[in-house]
Amino acid sequence: NGQAIRARQGHSVNVDVELTETIPPEWLYHGTPIDNLPSILDKGICKMNRNHVHLSPDVETASKVGARRGKDFVVLCVGAHQMYNDGSTFYLSKNNVWLTEHVPPKYIINQIKTN
């Protein structure tokens, strides 16, 4: 029917998502099922089958993201500005999602919230 769905962050589809490199705020947040925590603390936050790691600008948004995959989730605080200062690239999508290639464990500052 000629209609298409636009993936704003690209997800696993290789499309031009019109991203511009942007300096991040001091902190960004990542909501994820609590079962992922051991792997994240060991390897960092990996993009898995997506084009980028998705980060949220606030705890509330990250909580909504984490809750999408079950009631037992954690919100992690990421030292985004320090990552940027150390050479990581960040993008801000048009729908206010922050994107980067990988978050190494040393930039995961603490666990904000668990359910």
Side-chain angles (χ1 to χ4, degrees), residues 93-108:
S93 71
K94 290 182 180 184
N95 63 337
N96 209 32
V97 175
W98 286 88
L99 307 168
T100 193
E101 286 292 312
H102 175 247
V103 177
K106 73 178 187 175
Y107 297 104
I108 299 168

